[in-house]
Amino acid sequence: MKKTIFITGGAGFIGSHVVRLFVTKYPTYRIINIDKLTYAGNLENLKDIENESNYLFEKADIVDANVINNLFAKYKPDGVIHLAAESHVDRSISNPTEFIYTNIVGTVNLLNAARLIWEDNLQDKRFYHISTDEVYGSLGNEGLFTEETAYDPKSPYSAAKASSDHLVRAYNHTFKLPVVISNCSNNYGPNHFPEKLIPLAINNIKNMKPIPIYGKGENVRDWLYVIDHARAIDVIFHNGRDGETYNIGGNNEWTNIDLIKTLCDVMDKKLDRAPGTSASLITFVKDRAGHDLRYAIDSTKLMTNLGWKPSLQFEEGLEKTVDWYLTNEEWLKNIVSGNYQEYYKDMYGSR
Ligand code: NAD
Ligand code: DAU
């Protein structure tokens, strides 16, 4: 094997696509997926590649420094692609503490472990921290987030991610740890946990349940197909410059209400329903506390310097996503039949 790469959070939504891409594209790499398997981690996401000879899974909590140090000593990775995190803004509002442990302490544990085994030889080593555009805060109606935008996180989730970004940069500055960071906009696509807007709406539309839209649905997000994010991660991991930050976005802004109306039209067609059937489920509910108005990313640096660009138009990606959820009924059923029911009731007041 040419290289050993740790991918943390590889059983989650984005992580599973990154693991699949690396396992299949780089047969000479040994890919080790380190994941605690929280409610969001699901090994079903990796069924198709779990028996590949260059893939290994280690169930571990990144908050446990001893466990993490032992894994680094055992495998001596050349690179780390760090995705493990608590990722849902609403959960960070109801239970912020978990976000501090995983997103901040967990990141520091990984940085310390990498420092320890790499200290004698930093040659060809790389710690790649995957972050979010939410660290930049909220935009008004104009403008885009660039890599120079000042950090201004507004939720416990984004504050914890911002904190981890600062720590990664501090380890680069102070200890010369070779790091790279990317900050991405909203992802969508297969394997997305149905607590997030698009898969939650798909599941509710399928079951003729109300689609909860926070406030007036005027908040704007910039949506990127998850496989395009995984492709960007591949390019940045291999060709990004040490110590640099790259923004990743879809150049694809939608208000929540327009996005959901478009999704409803797609679902009506796929489910052979009369036009307007799914849209009749749209229900405006109490707004998220501190709800960021608008995110939009300027990915010029990544596109110009590293030659990446999104491969899919949104309409095509949305249709592929709906097809995936309608085909993978079992995957969805397994998730929504467990603790999800309790979560949904606490969050939205009914099942
Ligand atoms: P996810 O919630 O789907 O998956 C997170 C994964 O991390 C799960 O497999 C979970 O089991 C694992 N995990 C959580 N806590 C852990 C711990 N203490 N130890 C080990 N593993 C743990 O998240 P996602 O949407 O795939 O996001 C992945 C990363 O990308 C996160 O760092 C997130 O901040 C970032 N990000 C996400 C988006 C998005 O739109 N989803 C956009 C930009 C950046
Ligand atoms: O921008 C990147 C971020 O995108 C990632 O860092 C986060 O991990 C990821 O969860 C996502 O955060 P958002 O809060 O933007 O995603 P979410 O799907 O939760 O919400 C998208 C928008 O839809 C947001 O404006 C809130 C709104 N919404 C969400 C839900 C779950 C609703 O109106 N109703 C809902 O039921």
Side-chain angles (χ1 to χ4, degrees):
M1 292 287 168
K2 223 162 78 183
K3 270 187 177 167
T4 295
I5 314 289
F6 278 3
I7 299 182
T8 70
F13 166 46
I14 303 170
S16 61
H17 289 280
V18 177
V19 166
R20 177 173 301 99
L21 179 66
F22 274 68
V23 165
T24 53
K25 186 169 172 186
Y26 301 106
T28 63
Y29 289 6
R30 179 167 62 151
I31 302 300
I32 301 174
N33 174 9
I34 296 177
D35 198 300
K36 179 183 174 183
L37 299 182
T38 66
Y39 78 93
N42 185 353
L43 291 176
E44 288 292 311
N45 294 347
L46 294 163
K47 268 265 161 269
D48 55 323
I49 57 105
E50 67 183 3
N51 294 321
E52 294 298 331
S53 57
N54 63 338
Y55 171 72
L56 277 173
F57 173 66
E58 287 278 3
K59 185 172 188 305
D61 184 347
I62 59 168
V63 177
D64 190 330
N66 283 335
V67 168
I68 292 306
N69 285 336
N70 288 340
L71 286 173
F72 273 74
K74 179 175 172 190
Y75 292 109
K76 302 200 168 36
D78 305 284
V80 177
I81 305 179
H82 174 36
L83 296 108
E86 287 292 336
S87 70
H88 192 37
V89 175
D90 291 325
R91 289 189 196 248
S92 84
I93 294 167
S94 46
N95 180 17
T97 310
E98 201 61 41
F99 287 69
I100 307 308
Y101 287 125
T102 290
N103 299 3
I104 306 177
V105 177
T107 302
V108 172
N109 286 341
L110 291 164
L111 289 165
N112 286 337
R115 238 194 107 201
L116 206 66
I117 62 148
W118 293 346
E119 65 186 347
D120 295 334
N121 182 10
L122 293 172
Q123 196 70 31
D124 294 329
K125 305 292 190 292
R126 171 148 280 183
F127 189 103
Y128 181 3
H129 179 60
I130 307 298
S131 193
T132 170
D133 60 356
E134 299 199 14
V135 298
Y136 299 122
S138 182
L139 290 163
N141 293 328
E142 300 291 319
L144 300 171
F145 296 132
T146 72
E147 289 81 0
E148 276 71 48
T149 303
Y151 274 33
D152 188 18
K154 306 277 194 197
S155 73
Y157 162 69
S158 54
K161 290 295 291 187
S163 192
S164 64
D165 292 12
H166 289 317
L167 284 159
V168 172
R169 289 195 186 100
Y171 273 62
N172 176 250
H173 181 81
T174 309
F175 306 117
K176 309 291 170 243
L177 197 77
V179 309
V180 67
I181 299 182
S182 59
N183 296 79
C184 189
S185 63
N186 287 62
N187 286 213
Y188 71 99
N191 309 95
H192 206 180
F193 193 89
E195 64 189 350
K196 310 279 167 64
L197 179 66
I198 291 181
L200 183 143
I202 292 175
N203 184 44
N204 286 15
I205 293 169
K206 188 166 161 264
N207 296 301
M208 286 300 286
K209 284 176 56 175
I211 310 165
I213 304 288
Y214 299 160
K216 295 182 179 152
E218 286 166 349
N219 304 68
V220 175
R221 297 291 182 266
D222 173 358
W223 294 93
L224 178 70
Y225 194 61
V226 62
I227 291 171
D228 280 329
H229 188 188
R231 288 175 49 247
I233 289 172
D234 178 16
V235 169
I236 294 167
F237 181 72
H238 288 100
N239 303 324
R241 279 189 46 189
D242 232 37
E244 294 277 327
T245 295
Y246 297 88
N247 278 356
I248 312 171
N251 194 20
N252 176 42
E253 290 181 51
W254 288 79
T255 60
N256 293 335
I257 187 66
D258 286 347
L259 183 154
I260 290 299
K261 283 182 178 163
T262 305
L263 176 66
C264 286
D265 292 344
V266 175
M267 292 290 284
D268 281 345
K269 283 196 201 103
K270 298 280 175 192
L271 295 169
D272 263 337
R273 289 180 179 166
T277 309
S278 301
S280 71
L281 300 168
I282 291 174
T283 308
F284 294 97
V285 299
K286 187 169 172 275
D287 209 351
R288 172 184 280 174
H291 198 171
D292 287 341
L293 176 67
R294 176 173 164 256
Y295 308 142
I297 279 273
D298 179 348
S299 335
T300 308
K301 178 176 173 183
L302 173 60
M303 297 201 283
T304 312
N305 296 3
L306 303 183
W308 171 90
K309 62 175 195 295
S311 68
L312 278 187
Q313 293 296 312
F314 186 59
E315 285 73 7
E316 191 186 350
L318 197 59
E319 201 163 317
K320 274 169 99 88
T321 304
V322 169
D323 286 340
W324 188 87
Y325 280 90
L326 295 180
T327 311
N328 291 273
E329 283 191 314
E330 208 50 34
W331 182 94
L332 192 57
K333 211 174 86 199
N334 288 341
I335 287 175
V336 300
S337 59
N339 294 339
Y340 182 79
Q341 292 293 325
E342 292 309 315
Y343 167 79
Y344 199 91
K345 190 159 170 271
D346 285 351
M347 207 36 227
Y348 299 100
S350 64
R351 289 181 192 212

